[in-house]
Amino acid sequence: MHQPLEPPGQQPLGYGKCSPVGSDAGKAAGCSAGSEASGGIGKGPVICSAICGNPYAGLVSHLRAAWLSGKTRPMEYRMAQLEALGRFLDEKKQDILDATALDMGKPSFEAYFTEILLCKNNLNDTLNNLSHWMKDEYVDKNLVTQLDSAFIRKDPYGVVLIIGPWNYPIHLLLVPLIGAIAAGNCVVVKPSETSKNTERLVAEMLTCYLDNDCFAVVTAGVQETTRLLENKFDYIFFTGSPSVGRIVMTAAAKHLTPITLELGGKNPCYVSDTCDVQNVARRVAWGRFFNAGQTCIAPDYVLCSLEMQEKLMPALREAITEFFGPNPQESPDFGRIVGDKQFRRIRALLCSGRVAIGGQTDEKERYIAPTVLADVLPSDPAMQEEIFGPILPIVVVADMDEAIDFINARPQPLAIYAFSCDSKVVKQVLERTSSGGFCGNDTLMHVTLTSLPFGGIGSSGLGMYHGKFTFETFSHHRGCLHRSMGREAINSLRYPPYSRQKLGIVRAASEVKRKGACILL
């Protein structure tokens, strides 16, 4: 994700003034929410931390005390908090649509689909399966432990920190939060300060639905986030740019804190010569220009032959007109760039190759037209960084082999896309490349399934989530063996004094043998 943390602005750093609601979360949903300066701490307990000098130390300590009390461990408590999250999404639906529209002109269809529907899918999948996920997982045993109990216990980590980005400011904050709550953790969530209206909504209203002893929202810019990261958390989940991801990982390393990084990268899209050009154009244009291109898994550039480039151009132009009309700036279905800094960075990339479609900009509206760049060279500016905007470069390659070599010569991306009527071509791209995720003959759609893990590899990220994988991410898998106090005669075989006979018996009772192998004694 191209989401550098912005310097702290002048937006209010206050918090909603809701009474703690405990397991009756949601009853105070209609309460008034104010704002007052409080060191950037969102709704949650504020405790003096003058002793250590860190403004967030008291908050973290308070949440840790709640976690140590065991309050978050019962399944009933977790379910109640998750149900409260569902009420937040239902009751604040219009507020979410309004806030995302104000922040980046996000069309209501796109906002509802990504920020609400996909969140509810993850939430309902978790509610439907949590009792099963929480159960101890019993494992195979050897002869020595046949009469014992061997199992994996899914324990909560403790107090976890979730740092969200601005491009999907509700979805990419709440989906990790769903898993963190389901796993039994206490949580500090830090929404992006770049999407100011959504940040305010989360800070003022989310904590009206959750137990404030166990969950808190912190509003923070760069300086405050740096201080927040000085505290010891038991797990950190970050979504954003690789550059900020390195900073977060460095801070986590000081406490040996485990971490998930959801980053991004330049996602290639190979289009073979054998495909339905119109279908490819619609699916690629939808994936590239959804949310005005500000999507970490959007196809970042197309790889195709010169012949296919010439076929794609009119098809892409037709698809863009079909989606957004003759003037996309007037379309209610095309968003805007989130901020001035991001607008200027993306606009500078238009000098790459030649503008074949679009290219119009309006700095006042932070509007950049759906744009296709032809004949782009690997050395052009648009190929040096993740675009994260409504620009689609096309790089010409001779064939599939050259496309695969091109992909493999670069850092592993968050997603790879391949289009072909020949399934063997799609399989070749899948088998000969490496990426966080893969989608054949479409874009973006693989992330809509809660049954598939979502995450990066290499510079595109570390760890995975969605559905059960989010619960697993926020759970420590604790290997457990429970033995009887009796049967000491069996145990005596492993005690000194040792003998060859004892070793033979221990080996026979505990050795894992390869299936089908024949061992001659």
Side-chain angles (χ1 to χ4, degrees), residues 229-231 236 246-257:
L229 286 166
E230 291 173 0
N231 293 277
I236 297 176
R246 292 184 181 93
I247 296 171
V248 174
M249 196 168 189
T250 300
K254 293 179 181 178
H255 298 290
L256 297 179
T257 300

Side-chain angles (χ1 to χ4, degrees), residues 189-208:
V189 293
K190 208 292 290 183
S192 173
E193 71 280 11
T194 301
S195 47
K196 295 180 176 61
N197 293 283
T198 314
E199 177 196 40
R200 185 177 297 111
L201 171 65
V202 170
E204 293 180 352
M205 299 313 310
L206 179 61
T207 48
C208 291

Side-chain angles (χ1 to χ4, degrees), residues 369-511:
T371 300
V372 179
L373 304 176
D375 303 323
V376 175
L377 299 176
S379 57
D380 283 339
M383 295 303 294
Q384 305 310 306
E385 60 180 283
E386 183 180 3
I387 292 172
F388 222 67
I391 299 175
L392 180 66
I394 298 181
V395 178
V396 172
V397 292
D399 51 27
M400 180 190 69
D401 289 332
E402 185 176 334
I404 290 173
D405 290 342
F406 189 95
I407 294 169
N408 289 336
R410 286 157 178 77
Q412 295 153 301
L414 190 55
I416 289 177
Y417 302 104
F419 286 85
S420 180
C421 290
D422 185 350
S423 61
K424 292 181 181 178
V425 172
V426 176
K427 289 179 180 178
Q428 279 283 298
V429 177
L430 172 60
E431 291 173 1
R432 295 170 57 188
T433 60
S434 175
S435 62
F438 178 88
C439 187
N441 291 330
D442 210 339
T443 60
L444 311 190
M445 290 302 292
H446 60 295
V447 302
T448 65
L449 297 176
T450 59
S451 54
L452 287 177
F454 175 72
I457 182 173
S459 60
S460 64
L462 172 69
M464 58 186 179
Y465 71 123
H466 283 190
K468 182 181 180 181
F469 302 100
T470 320
F471 172 83
E472 299 281 350
T473 287
F474 285 101
S475 299
H476 167 60
H477 288 57
R478 189 179 186 184
C480 304
L481 179 66
H482 187 186
R483 309 203 71 196
S484 167
M485 282 298 294
R487 300 189 289 273
E488 192 63 8
I490 297 175
N491 295 327
S492 65
L493 293 171
R494 71 174 193 258
Y495 299 153
Y498 302 127
S499 69
R500 188 165 185 172
Q501 182 183 23
K502 282 186 176 182
L503 180 59
I505 296 172
V506 168
R507 177 185 173 186
S510 60
E511 186 177 25

